[in-house]
Amino acid sequence: MTFASLGLIEPLLRALETLGYHTPTPVQAQAIPAVLAGRDLMAAAQTGTGKTAGFAVPLLQLLTMEGPKVAANSARALILCPTRELAEQVHASVAEYAQHLPLTTYAVYGGVSINPQMMKLRKGVDILVATPGRLIDLFRQNALKLNQLQTLVLDEADRMLDLGFSEELANIYRMLPKKRQTLLFSATFSDDIRLLAGQMLNDPLSIEVSPRNVAANTVKQWVVPVDKKRKPELFVHLMRKGRWKQVLVFAKTRNGVDALVDKLQGLGVNADGIHGDKPQATRQRALDRFKSSDVQILVATDVAARGLDIEDLPLVVNFDLPIVAEDYIHRIGRTGRAGNTGEAISLVCADEVNMLSAIEMLTRQTLTRKTEPDFEPEHRVPETDASGQVVKKPKKPKKPKASGGGGKRNLGKWVDSGDAAPSEPSIKPVRKVPVFNTGPRKKK
Ligand code: AMP
């Protein structure tokens, strides 16, 4: 199959050719004709599948071929993204695809001054990429009207809900014209996403390009069990041993990011960190320097790293496992993209066993464990598997209390019928739902 056979116009074909896109990815092959035909879409596609071009390319074609010129303070298409970084990245891709078209594109997000954005919107833009909060601010300040809107794209809709944007999405929903095309993309489909889709979409076509909730199979994944306090030391050891070049590392908290960056910088390693406390400009600079290989190790929280597209990233390290199992899929989606192979290593301590179990259940695989010599944990990480069961170490049965008298007595061979036999491990199921924490500031 070729892009030309999907009915795309010449300026788009030329742009795709320049970018080295020769063959449509599966999501593109399904989404492009459906969007061109005006259908609403509900697409289960994780980052790395080519979903951005899947919605942006046909959208650009529709905007070129149909509809009136954009009016002042208006947008003809709106792409909603969960984070500033993703908004920037999606906008960069859209601008590349649109390079030979007479369309205007722009991205707005919080954390930077609103005034230049208001100025820019005066003339109107064909495609506006936005994070939900800033979009609402612009709308309320009359800098943006949505009555000319033809198409709405919800990109990484699951993440928008995880980040607590459900109220904002409900507000935006009320601002939209009733007649419009809506495209919803999500790596995973929770019940909340299905509810949102039910509200926002009209007879959508469902597209699922990889089995639901299964991580990219081009990524080699394994786990290194370790004691929590030895994680930094193990990281440095593995980094030196594996001669890691460009690594994206995920830590659970902002403090965790800062602590690891400090340690690595203290050892003379070229490392930087991104998290929500850092100003947008600093985050963007760290990201740009990482992309250009000026920074070797980028440590990030899930929120900051969401949707980052770094070409040919060979390795992702989970310094901490994510609290929400689905984030594991998003994290490792940074590597093994567009047909390349990648590696994802997770440093796992005993405290994280339930998270590991939830990830294995979600991805339907038992992750291989490779214990590193000299780093064998004192606090053993219990066995887990894809069934969601955590196998606790067999406990020795208690000896019955000797009645009366102190000192040691030889009680001989005994069996307590109420206890499991010593050779049977006690199996304790963990919660069956993969998300075992509501995550950051989830609003209902
Ligand atoms: P996405 O899933 O949209 O974040 O895209 C992941 C990566 O795949 C990006 O680096 C795209 O530039 C690249 N890509 C998307 N579509 C194609 C294609 N048809 N051929 C080659 N690379 C592609």
Side-chain angles (χ1 to χ4, degrees):
M1 188 186 290
T2 60
F3 282 107
S5 69
L6 296 176
L8 293 177
I9 53 176
E10 191 278 330
L12 284 168
L13 292 175
R14 201 155 22 114
L16 295 176
E17 197 55 38
T18 316
L19 292 169
Y21 295 12
H22 303 299
T23 315
T25 64
V27 69
Q28 292 162 1
Q30 293 181 64
I32 292 173
V35 177
L36 288 177
R39 289 287 305 262
D40 278 9
L41 270 195
M42 171 152 172
Q46 61 199 59
T47 310
T49 54
K51 66 183 168 69
T52 315
F55 63 74
V57 167
L59 179 56
L60 288 165
Q61 177 150 333
L62 290 183
L63 294 172
T64 307
M65 311 287 284
E66 297 169 9
K69 227 173 138 281
V70 70
N73 292 103
S74 297
R76 295 171 64 206
L78 172 65
I79 303 172
L80 281 179
C81 298
T83 63
R84 306 155 190 183
E85 283 81 6
L86 186 63
E88 270 293 350
Q89 190 175 291
V90 168
H91 177 249
S93 297
V94 172
E96 278 183 325
Y97 306 143
Q99 57 186 284
H100 305 301
L101 296 174
L103 297 173
T104 50
T105 65
Y106 189 50
V108 294
Y109 39 78
V112 293
S113 169
I114 198 168
N115 292 335
Q117 298 179 349
M118 294 171 85
M119 298 275 284
K120 181 80 188 184
L121 287 173
R122 275 191 192 162
K123 282 190 183 159
V125 289
D126 290 296
I127 298 197
L128 182 65
V129 187
T131 52
R134 180 53 58 98
L135 181 90
I136 292 173
D137 286 349
L138 287 162
F139 184 83
R140 293 203 171 133
Q141 299 195 38
N142 294 322
L144 180 68
K145 289 178 279 190
L146 292 175
N147 43 355
Q148 220 190 355
L149 195 84
Q150 284 175 227
T151 307
L152 169 72
V153 182
L154 299 162
D155 192 15
E156 309 213 348
D158 51 344
R159 190 59 177 182
M160 287 200 261
L161 295 188
D162 285 350
L163 291 174
F165 285 133
S166 54
E167 224 166 82
E168 282 84 350
L169 291 180
N171 282 333
I172 292 170
Y173 176 66
R174 285 192 284 273
M175 291 155 29
L176 299 170
K178 291 267 172 300
K179 189 170 168 297
R180 58 162 201 278
Q181 184 180 28
T182 308
L183 317 174
L184 184 149
F185 285 76
S186 189
T188 49
F189 273 109
S190 61
D191 292 344
D192 285 348
I193 288 288
R194 290 182 190 281
L195 208 68
L196 179 78
Q199 257 187 347
M200 292 241 192
L201 304 181
N202 175 23
D203 184 26
L205 183 78
S206 276
I207 294 184
E208 201 161 342
V209 288
S210 56
R212 205 176 144 193
N213 296 345
V214 174
N217 57 12
T218 47
V219 183
K220 205 171 136 211
Q221 306 160 55
W222 73 93
V223 162
V224 188
V226 62
D227 282 331
K228 193 183 205 161
K229 59 178 189 302
R230 295 198 69 198
K231 278 191 180 186
E233 204 186 327
L234 172 63
F235 181 89
V236 171
H237 166 80
L238 291 172
M239 179 185 76
R240 289 183 172 150
K241 187 174 141 187
R243 295 166 195 251
W244 292 346
K245 292 198 175 66
Q246 196 194 21
V247 193
L248 181 60
V249 186
F250 287 92
K252 198 162 49 190
T253 62
R254 296 163 184 196
N255 286 344
V257 169
D258 289 340
L260 184 60
V261 170
D262 285 351
K263 177 167 176 89
L264 293 171
Q265 287 178 345
L267 292 168
V269 178
N270 208 342
D272 207 344
I274 52 174
H275 56 62
D277 274 352
K278 299 205 175 191
Q280 175 60 18
T282 314
R283 283 155 71 171
Q284 193 62 46
R285 196 166 51 241
L287 181 60
D288 290 343
R289 293 186 64 223
F290 182 61
K291 282 185 173 184
S292 63
S293 302
D294 290 335
V295 161
Q296 180 194 352
I297 296 194
L298 185 67
V299 190
T301 55
D302 287 294
V303 173
R306 178 71 183 175
L308 299 184
D309 180 26
I310 301 145
E311 272 176 45
D312 298 333
L313 189 61
L315 176 62
V316 165
V317 174
N318 294 311
F319 187 81
D320 301 307
L321 286 184
I323 296 169
V324 177
E326 286 167 358
D327 279 341
Y328 179 82
I329 297 176
H330 296 308
R331 287 179 176 191
I332 73 163
R334 310 306 112 198
T335 180
R337 286 187 162 204
N340 293 318
T341 52
E343 291 183 345
I345 306 175
S346 302
L347 313 189
V348 178
C349 65
D351 288 358
E352 294 171 305
V353 67
N354 283 355
M355 300 177 195
L356 178 61
S357 172
I359 288 164
E360 291 182 336
M361 201 166 74
L362 182 71
T363 59
R364 302 193 196 108
Q365 61 183 330
T366 306
L367 293 171
T368 307
R369 296 185 180 204
K370 293 186 188 174
T371 304
E372 194 59 27
D374 299 331
F375 287 90
E376 294 88 355
E378 276 174 27
H379 302 281
R380 191 181 145 272
V381 182
E383 294 305 315
T384 50
D385 62 32
S387 70
Q389 301 209 310
V390 175
V391 183
K392 294 267 162 69
K393 204 176 179 182
K395 278 188 186 148
K396 286 199 181 134
K398 282 185 193 153
K399 291 188 177 179
K401 278 186 190 149
S403 54
K408 283 185 185 164
R409 292 167 65 186
N410 185 358
L411 295 165
K413 210 173 166 198
W414 57 271
V415 175
D416 184 338
S417 58
D419 275 353
S423 59
E424 269 176 20
S426 74
I427 297 176
K428 195 179 168 202
V430 293
R431 282 183 57 181
K432 286 286 173 195
V433 279
V435 180
F436 44 83
N437 184 315
T438 49
R441 58 183 197 96
K442 187 162 183 161
K443 291 177 194 166
K444 280 278 164 213

